Amino acid sequence: MIQIENLYKSFGEKAVLKGVSASFNKGKCNFVIGASGSGKSVLMKCMVGLIPVDSGSIAYDHTDFVSLNYEEKKEIRKKIGMLFQGTALFDSLNVEDNIAFPLRMFTSLSSAEVIDRVNFCLKRVNLEKVNALYPSSISGGMKKRVGIARAIALNPEYLFCDEPNSGLDPITSRLIDDLIQEITEEYNITTIINTHDMKSLFEMGDHIIFIYKGEKWWEGRKEDIRDSGNAELLQFMKASQF
Amino acid sequence: MIKFLEIIGQYVLFMGSLFSRPERFNVFLKQSFHEMYTIGVGSFGIVGLISLFTGAVSTVHIGYQLIGGLVPEYLIGRIVRDSNILEFSPTVTCLVLAGKVGSAMASEIGTMKVTEQVDALEIMGVNSASYLVLPKIVAGMLTIPILVVYAMGLSLIGGAISGELSGIISMDFFIKGLRAEFIPFSVNFALIKAFAFAIIITSISSFHGYKTEGGALEVGQSSTRAVVYSCVGIIFFDYIISELLLA
């Protein structure tokens, strides 16, 4: 479980996060939604420590991440898997080496065991015989799946997905959603998904947080959105044709 | 001035962040060997070509100024030797490497930065600066002095060939000049410079790559800045080191 309390972040004069508090549950797909520029991506980057917060706390299973030093944060980060919007696969490494990277860095597995784990992760995301291919030679959907395979290689406790289905066709998008949902439930991961995609939200969202102009505007279950009475959230849904 | 001091401050902090224990020593070694290959083997051709011609041109220039006078002919060889060992080989080679290797380093790291690959490393718990940059600095420190020694040899060969072909100085006199009053410290001096320039090229280029933000345009700008700052750094420290060790 991840709990954030009163997160504030400004860039110069511009306040991007204004006291956001929320909790993200274990074994659930927690969605963060909001318009472009609302602060979703900054919130996610603050939560994983890529951007330092101005104030507030981020607790990973009751460990305050903000107050930890760099080395202690690294230990928490080893429990985090992240799927980036642009996948962020290493260009210079092939698919196998991309997935093996965290295993080689942080485990004492033998070469054969690393390859076994890589193949297991690839199979888990329905990819096979792509080990030798480089990211530049695979499709966007395959890159996303390789990104998921890399993210789950170390059996993470927390999975962050930034716009997991942006730029994908509806079928591949559905496939990625299903995969994230299955992995979340199968490994009991705390999954946080940043998205604009209301279709994904209504299919797999367990817990929804709506960010509006840097503030948490609404939090609840997807079933309650339509009856929320929150004008901005309803407008956001309406604009998404839901 | 404040902006300049700000950049120096950022550079110092960046350098401080590099020196952490590598997560895996074998991964660090593998990365370092890969970088050594890229810097060393990848630059052999261009460094060789430039050194041959630098030596050849310096023989022609020195011959033009000294020939026909009261100065003994073999002195041409001696001056070519000293100017190439002390100055041209380390400085020109490193200026070339700043353009070739430095811009490649800045673009590589800059591209990784703007495509979130650096963020991916950080989230995995890897010290990205140390993982990406330290092998480059170590590889540069080991490889660039070797390239400078190679450049020294080729520049003298180039000088000897051009002297013979143009009739400025015979091979025998040139070799006599190369041997005359040789001070071994000259080679040490060149190696000290090469070592310092290696740190300048690799660290400044990596620093500019690492602080890239934006997209393709910014990667190009970082690459240009890396070359410019590295060249300025080389020229500046060339003077400082010469002043300290030769004056």
Side-chain angles (χ1 to χ4, degrees), chain B residues 149-178:
Chain B
V149 171
Y150 164 71
M152 283 177 201
L154 279 185
S155 65
L156 299 183
I157 291 169
I161 294 170
S162 91
E164 181 75 39
L165 290 178
S166 59
I168 292 171
I169 178 173
S170 70
M171 192 68 83
D172 290 342
F173 273 118
F174 191 86
I175 291 169
K176 187 184 172 191
L178 292 184

PDB file of all heavy atoms in Angstrom, chain B residues 149-178:
ATOM      1  N   VAL B 149      50.307   8.697 -27.220  1.00  0.00           N
ATOM      2  CA  VAL B 149      51.616   8.088 -27.517  1.00  0.00           C
ATOM      3  C   VAL B 149      51.663   7.645 -28.985  1.00  0.00           C
ATOM      4  O   VAL B 149      52.651   7.869 -29.694  1.00  0.00           O
ATOM      5  CB  VAL B 149      51.888   6.889 -26.576  1.00  0.00           C
ATOM      6  CG1 VAL B 149      53.126   6.115 -26.999  1.00  0.00           C
ATOM      7  CG2 VAL B 149      52.040   7.380 -25.141  1.00  0.00           C
ATOM      8  N   TYR B 150      50.572   7.060 -29.427  1.00  0.00           N
ATOM      9  CA  TYR B 150      50.442   6.625 -30.832  1.00  0.00           C
ATOM     10  C   TYR B 150      50.560   7.837 -31.762  1.00  0.00           C
ATOM     11  O   TYR B 150      51.255   7.802 -32.782  1.00  0.00           O
ATOM     12  CB  TYR B 150      49.090   5.920 -30.947  1.00  0.00           C
ATOM     13  CG  TYR B 150      48.523   5.706 -32.317  1.00  0.00           C
ATOM     14  CD1 TYR B 150      49.077   4.782 -33.198  1.00  0.00           C
ATOM     15  CD2 TYR B 150      47.371   6.390 -32.709  1.00  0.00           C
ATOM     16  CE1 TYR B 150      48.503   4.570 -34.446  1.00  0.00           C
ATOM     17  CE2 TYR B 150      46.795   6.177 -33.954  1.00  0.00           C
ATOM     18  CZ  TYR B 150      47.362   5.269 -34.815  1.00  0.00           C
ATOM     19  OH  TYR B 150      46.796   5.051 -36.041  1.00  0.00           O
ATOM     20  N   ALA B 151      49.911   8.942 -31.352  1.00  0.00           N
ATOM     21  CA  ALA B 151      49.963  10.173 -32.157  1.00  0.00           C
ATOM     22  C   ALA B 151      51.386  10.729 -32.211  1.00  0.00           C
ATOM     23  O   ALA B 151      51.835  11.200 -33.262  1.00  0.00           O
ATOM     24  CB  ALA B 151      49.010  11.222 -31.571  1.00  0.00           C
ATOM     25  N   MET B 152      52.091  10.645 -31.078  1.00  0.00           N
ATOM     26  CA  MET B 152      53.482  11.132 -31.048  1.00  0.00           C
ATOM     27  C   MET B 152      54.324  10.378 -32.083  1.00  0.00           C
ATOM     28  O   MET B 152      55.031  10.982 -32.889  1.00  0.00           O
ATOM     29  CB  MET B 152      54.121  10.843 -29.674  1.00  0.00           C
ATOM     30  CG  MET B 152      53.712  11.756 -28.576  1.00  0.00           C
ATOM     31  SD  MET B 152      54.546  11.122 -27.091  1.00  0.00           S
ATOM     32  CE  MET B 152      53.532  11.826 -25.847  1.00  0.00           C
ATOM     33  N   GLY B 153      54.221   9.068 -32.035  1.00  0.00           N
ATOM     34  CA  GLY B 153      55.008   8.235 -32.949  1.00  0.00           C
ATOM     35  C   GLY B 153      54.695   8.561 -34.396  1.00  0.00           C
ATOM     36  O   GLY B 153      55.594   8.789 -35.216  1.00  0.00           O
ATOM     37  N   LEU B 154      53.389   8.628 -34.702  1.00  0.00           N
ATOM     38  CA  LEU B 154      53.009   8.874 -36.091  1.00  0.00           C
ATOM     39  C   LEU B 154      53.382  10.277 -36.558  1.00  0.00           C
ATOM     40  O   LEU B 154      53.723  10.483 -37.722  1.00  0.00           O
ATOM     41  CB  LEU B 154      51.511   8.643 -36.274  1.00  0.00           C
ATOM     42  CG  LEU B 154      51.105   7.181 -36.440  1.00  0.00           C
ATOM     43  CD1 LEU B 154      49.620   7.074 -36.738  1.00  0.00           C
ATOM     44  CD2 LEU B 154      51.873   6.499 -37.571  1.00  0.00           C
ATOM     45  N   SER B 155      53.318  11.250 -35.658  1.00  0.00           N
ATOM     46  CA  SER B 155      53.665  12.614 -36.080  1.00  0.00           C
ATOM     47  C   SER B 155      55.152  12.691 -36.423  1.00  0.00           C
ATOM     48  O   SER B 155      55.543  13.385 -37.364  1.00  0.00           O
ATOM     49  CB  SER B 155      53.294  13.624 -34.994  1.00  0.00           C
ATOM     50  OG  SER B 155      54.062  13.398 -33.846  1.00  0.00           O
ATOM     51  N   LEU B 156      55.982  11.965 -35.680  1.00  0.00           N
ATOM     52  CA  LEU B 156      57.422  11.968 -35.985  1.00  0.00           C
ATOM     53  C   LEU B 156      57.690  11.238 -37.308  1.00  0.00           C
ATOM     54  O   LEU B 156      58.517  11.677 -38.114  1.00  0.00           O
ATOM     55  CB  LEU B 156      58.212  11.334 -34.839  1.00  0.00           C
ATOM     56  CG  LEU B 156      58.089  12.061 -33.479  1.00  0.00           C
ATOM     57  CD1 LEU B 156      58.957  11.396 -32.426  1.00  0.00           C
ATOM     58  CD2 LEU B 156      58.443  13.537 -33.593  1.00  0.00           C
ATOM     59  N   ILE B 157      56.932  10.150 -37.511  1.00  0.00           N
ATOM     60  CA  ILE B 157      57.080   9.436 -38.792  1.00  0.00           C
ATOM     61  C   ILE B 157      56.649  10.353 -39.942  1.00  0.00           C
ATOM     62  O   ILE B 157      57.325  10.465 -40.970  1.00  0.00           O
ATOM     63  CB  ILE B 157      56.260   8.127 -38.786  1.00  0.00           C
ATOM     64  CG1 ILE B 157      56.898   7.141 -37.794  1.00  0.00           C
ATOM     65  CG2 ILE B 157      56.172   7.510 -40.177  1.00  0.00           C
ATOM     66  CD1 ILE B 157      56.056   5.913 -37.498  1.00  0.00           C
ATOM     67  N   GLY B 158      55.524  11.039 -39.745  1.00  0.00           N
ATOM     68  CA  GLY B 158      55.027  11.976 -40.762  1.00  0.00           C
ATOM     69  C   GLY B 158      56.040  13.072 -41.038  1.00  0.00           C
ATOM     70  O   GLY B 158      56.265  13.443 -42.204  1.00  0.00           O
ATOM     71  N   GLY B 159      56.653  13.570 -39.978  1.00  0.00           N
ATOM     72  CA  GLY B 159      57.663  14.626 -40.116  1.00  0.00           C
ATOM     73  C   GLY B 159      58.864  14.134 -40.906  1.00  0.00           C
ATOM     74  O   GLY B 159      59.357  14.834 -41.812  1.00  0.00           O
ATOM     75  N   ALA B 160      59.311  12.922 -40.582  1.00  0.00           N
ATOM     76  CA  ALA B 160      60.478  12.361 -41.265  1.00  0.00           C
ATOM     77  C   ALA B 160      60.175  12.147 -42.752  1.00  0.00           C
ATOM     78  O   ALA B 160      60.987  12.498 -43.622  1.00  0.00           O
ATOM     79  CB  ALA B 160      60.866  11.041 -40.604  1.00  0.00           C
ATOM     80  N   ILE B 161      59.008  11.595 -43.040  1.00  0.00           N
ATOM     81  CA  ILE B 161      58.644  11.329 -44.446  1.00  0.00           C
ATOM     82  C   ILE B 161      58.546  12.635 -45.231  1.00  0.00           C
ATOM     83  O   ILE B 161      59.081  12.753 -46.348  1.00  0.00           O
ATOM     84  CB  ILE B 161      57.315  10.533 -44.525  1.00  0.00           C
ATOM     85  CG1 ILE B 161      57.506   9.129 -43.934  1.00  0.00           C
ATOM     86  CG2 ILE B 161      56.810  10.433 -45.965  1.00  0.00           C
ATOM     87  CD1 ILE B 161      56.228   8.335 -43.738  1.00  0.00           C
ATOM     88  N   SER B 162      57.889  13.628 -44.631  1.00  0.00           N
ATOM     89  CA  SER B 162      57.713  14.886 -45.387  1.00  0.00           C
ATOM     90  C   SER B 162      59.055  15.596 -45.585  1.00  0.00           C
ATOM     91  O   SER B 162      59.294  16.203 -46.631  1.00  0.00           O
ATOM     92  CB  SER B 162      56.702  15.797 -44.699  1.00  0.00           C
ATOM     93  OG  SER B 162      57.311  16.667 -43.810  1.00  0.00           O
ATOM     94  N   GLY B 163      59.959  15.500 -44.591  1.00  0.00           N
ATOM     95  CA  GLY B 163      61.288  16.096 -44.723  1.00  0.00           C
ATOM     96  C   GLY B 163      62.058  15.484 -45.876  1.00  0.00           C
ATOM     97  O   GLY B 163      62.678  16.177 -46.689  1.00  0.00           O
ATOM     98  N   GLU B 164      61.962  14.148 -45.959  1.00  0.00           N
ATOM     99  CA  GLU B 164      62.669  13.407 -47.013  1.00  0.00           C
ATOM    100  C   GLU B 164      62.060  13.705 -48.390  1.00  0.00           C
ATOM    101  O   GLU B 164      62.768  14.010 -49.348  1.00  0.00           O
ATOM    102  CB  GLU B 164      62.574  11.893 -46.696  1.00  0.00           C
ATOM    103  CG  GLU B 164      63.278  10.978 -47.662  1.00  0.00           C
ATOM    104  CD  GLU B 164      64.793  10.966 -47.510  1.00  0.00           C
ATOM    105  OE1 GLU B 164      65.268  11.006 -46.358  1.00  0.00           O
ATOM    106  OE2 GLU B 164      65.490  10.950 -48.553  1.00  0.00           O
ATOM    107  N   LEU B 165      60.728  13.630 -48.449  1.00  0.00           N
ATOM    108  CA  LEU B 165      60.056  13.819 -49.745  1.00  0.00           C
ATOM    109  C   LEU B 165      60.219  15.238 -50.292  1.00  0.00           C
ATOM    110  O   LEU B 165      60.383  15.444 -51.489  1.00  0.00           O
ATOM    111  CB  LEU B 165      58.551  13.493 -49.619  1.00  0.00           C
ATOM    112  CG  LEU B 165      58.184  12.027 -49.419  1.00  0.00           C
ATOM    113  CD1 LEU B 165      56.676  11.872 -49.270  1.00  0.00           C
ATOM    114  CD2 LEU B 165      58.679  11.178 -50.596  1.00  0.00           C
ATOM    115  N   SER B 166      60.189  16.214 -49.402  1.00  0.00           N
ATOM    116  CA  SER B 166      60.279  17.603 -49.870  1.00  0.00           C
ATOM    117  C   SER B 166      61.723  18.077 -49.990  1.00  0.00           C
ATOM    118  O   SER B 166      61.966  19.194 -50.433  1.00  0.00           O
ATOM    119  CB  SER B 166      59.502  18.511 -48.906  1.00  0.00           C
ATOM    120  OG  SER B 166      60.055  18.382 -47.612  1.00  0.00           O
ATOM    121  N   GLY B 167      62.645  17.246 -49.520  1.00  0.00           N
ATOM    122  CA  GLY B 167      64.061  17.602 -49.607  1.00  0.00           C
ATOM    123  C   GLY B 167      64.487  18.634 -48.566  1.00  0.00           C
ATOM    124  O   GLY B 167      65.564  19.212 -48.663  1.00  0.00           O
ATOM    125  N   ILE B 168      63.673  18.855 -47.564  1.00  0.00           N
ATOM    126  CA  ILE B 168      64.014  19.836 -46.518  1.00  0.00           C
ATOM    127  C   ILE B 168      65.132  19.292 -45.624  1.00  0.00           C
ATOM    128  O   ILE B 168      66.063  19.993 -45.275  1.00  0.00           O
ATOM    129  CB  ILE B 168      62.762  20.157 -45.664  1.00  0.00           C
ATOM    130  CG1 ILE B 168      61.736  20.914 -46.511  1.00  0.00           C
ATOM    131  CG2 ILE B 168      63.120  20.986 -44.424  1.00  0.00           C
ATOM    132  CD1 ILE B 168      60.397  21.099 -45.843  1.00  0.00           C
ATOM    133  N   ILE B 169      64.991  18.001 -45.276  1.00  0.00           N
ATOM    134  CA  ILE B 169      65.981  17.376 -44.387  1.00  0.00           C
ATOM    135  C   ILE B 169      66.032  15.883 -44.697  1.00  0.00           C
ATOM    136  O   ILE B 169      64.976  15.257 -44.920  1.00  0.00           O
ATOM    137  CB  ILE B 169      65.639  17.656 -42.897  1.00  0.00           C
ATOM    138  CG1 ILE B 169      66.643  16.973 -41.968  1.00  0.00           C
ATOM    139  CG2 ILE B 169      64.235  17.241 -42.537  1.00  0.00           C
ATOM    140  CD1 ILE B 169      66.489  17.334 -40.486  1.00  0.00           C
ATOM    141  N   SER B 170      67.249  15.350 -44.703  1.00  0.00           N
ATOM    142  CA  SER B 170      67.356  13.914 -45.002  1.00  0.00           C
ATOM    143  C   SER B 170      66.920  13.118 -43.774  1.00  0.00           C
ATOM    144  O   SER B 170      66.910  13.629 -42.657  1.00  0.00           O
ATOM    145  CB  SER B 170      68.795  13.568 -45.358  1.00  0.00           C
ATOM    146  OG  SER B 170      69.590  13.671 -44.183  1.00  0.00           O
ATOM    147  N   MET B 171      66.581  11.864 -44.033  1.00  0.00           N
ATOM    148  CA  MET B 171      66.123  10.982 -42.958  1.00  0.00           C
ATOM    149  C   MET B 171      67.182  10.869 -41.862  1.00  0.00           C
ATOM    150  O   MET B 171      66.864  10.897 -40.671  1.00  0.00           O
ATOM    151  CB  MET B 171      65.797   9.606 -43.549  1.00  0.00           C
ATOM    152  CG  MET B 171      65.046   8.683 -42.638  1.00  0.00           C
ATOM    153  SD  MET B 171      63.361   9.228 -42.298  1.00  0.00           S
ATOM    154  CE  MET B 171      62.482   8.626 -43.729  1.00  0.00           C
ATOM    155  N   ASP B 172      68.460  10.748 -42.275  1.00  0.00           N
ATOM    156  CA  ASP B 172      69.536  10.591 -41.282  1.00  0.00           C
ATOM    157  C   ASP B 172      69.626  11.790 -40.348  1.00  0.00           C
ATOM    158  O   ASP B 172      69.734  11.639 -39.137  1.00  0.00           O
ATOM    159  CB  ASP B 172      70.891  10.410 -42.000  1.00  0.00           C
ATOM    160  CG  ASP B 172      70.966   9.064 -42.693  1.00  0.00           C
ATOM    161  OD1 ASP B 172      70.142   8.193 -42.325  1.00  0.00           O
ATOM    162  OD2 ASP B 172      71.813   8.891 -43.583  1.00  0.00           O
ATOM    163  N   PHE B 173      69.576  12.998 -40.959  1.00  0.00           N
ATOM    164  CA  PHE B 173      69.652  14.204 -40.128  1.00  0.00           C
ATOM    165  C   PHE B 173      68.413  14.335 -39.232  1.00  0.00           C
ATOM    166  O   PHE B 173      68.501  14.785 -38.095  1.00  0.00           O
ATOM    167  CB  PHE B 173      69.814  15.458 -41.000  1.00  0.00           C
ATOM    168  CG  PHE B 173      71.246  15.755 -41.331  1.00  0.00           C
ATOM    169  CD1 PHE B 173      71.706  15.761 -42.646  1.00  0.00           C
ATOM    170  CD2 PHE B 173      72.166  16.040 -40.310  1.00  0.00           C
ATOM    171  CE1 PHE B 173      73.039  16.022 -42.940  1.00  0.00           C
ATOM    172  CE2 PHE B 173      73.488  16.311 -40.609  1.00  0.00           C
ATOM    173  CZ  PHE B 173      73.931  16.300 -41.922  1.00  0.00           C
ATOM    174  N   PHE B 174      67.277  13.947 -39.791  1.00  0.00           N
ATOM    175  CA  PHE B 174      66.034  14.046 -39.006  1.00  0.00           C
ATOM    176  C   PHE B 174      66.140  13.143 -37.772  1.00  0.00           C
ATOM    177  O   PHE B 174      65.824  13.555 -36.652  1.00  0.00           O
ATOM    178  CB  PHE B 174      64.825  13.650 -39.864  1.00  0.00           C
ATOM    179  CG  PHE B 174      63.498  13.972 -39.224  1.00  0.00           C
ATOM    180  CD1 PHE B 174      62.921  15.228 -39.369  1.00  0.00           C
ATOM    181  CD2 PHE B 174      62.832  13.038 -38.440  1.00  0.00           C
ATOM    182  CE1 PHE B 174      61.706  15.539 -38.761  1.00  0.00           C
ATOM    183  CE2 PHE B 174      61.630  13.331 -37.834  1.00  0.00           C
ATOM    184  CZ  PHE B 174      61.060  14.582 -38.001  1.00  0.00           C
ATOM    185  N   ILE B 175      66.617  11.909 -37.999  1.00  0.00           N
ATOM    186  CA  ILE B 175      66.745  10.960 -36.882  1.00  0.00           C
ATOM    187  C   ILE B 175      67.791  11.450 -35.884  1.00  0.00           C
ATOM    188  O   ILE B 175      67.606  11.347 -34.672  1.00  0.00           O
ATOM    189  CB  ILE B 175      67.062   9.542 -37.400  1.00  0.00           C
ATOM    190  CG1 ILE B 175      65.824   9.005 -38.133  1.00  0.00           C
ATOM    191  CG2 ILE B 175      67.457   8.594 -36.271  1.00  0.00           C
ATOM    192  CD1 ILE B 175      66.038   7.748 -38.927  1.00  0.00           C
ATOM    193  N   LYS B 176      68.860  12.041 -36.410  1.00  0.00           N
ATOM    194  CA  LYS B 176      69.881  12.620 -35.514  1.00  0.00           C
ATOM    195  C   LYS B 176      69.234  13.707 -34.628  1.00  0.00           C
ATOM    196  O   LYS B 176      69.473  13.774 -33.426  1.00  0.00           O
ATOM    197  CB  LYS B 176      71.015  13.223 -36.349  1.00  0.00           C
ATOM    198  CG  LYS B 176      72.186  13.685 -35.508  1.00  0.00           C
ATOM    199  CD  LYS B 176      73.243  14.357 -36.352  1.00  0.00           C
ATOM    200  CE  LYS B 176      74.301  14.973 -35.434  1.00  0.00           C
ATOM    201  NZ  LYS B 176      75.213  15.848 -36.160  1.00  0.00           N
ATOM    202  N   GLY B 177      68.374  14.504 -35.265  1.00  0.00           N
ATOM    203  CA  GLY B 177      67.663  15.561 -34.523  1.00  0.00           C
ATOM    204  C   GLY B 177      66.733  14.980 -33.480  1.00  0.00           C
ATOM    205  O   GLY B 177      66.609  15.494 -32.364  1.00  0.00           O
ATOM    206  N   LEU B 178      66.055  13.877 -33.839  1.00  0.00           N
ATOM    207  CA  LEU B 178      65.129  13.246 -32.882  1.00  0.00           C
ATOM    208  C   LEU B 178      65.870  12.772 -31.632  1.00  0.00           C
ATOM    209  O   LEU B 178      65.332  12.803 -30.527  1.00  0.00           O
ATOM    210  CB  LEU B 178      64.423  12.051 -33.524  1.00  0.00           C
ATOM    211  CG  LEU B 178      63.420  12.316 -34.651  1.00  0.00           C
ATOM    212  CD1 LEU B 178      62.751  11.016 -35.083  1.00  0.00           C
ATOM    213  CD2 LEU B 178      62.345  13.308 -34.225  1.00  0.00           C
TER     214      LEU B 178
END
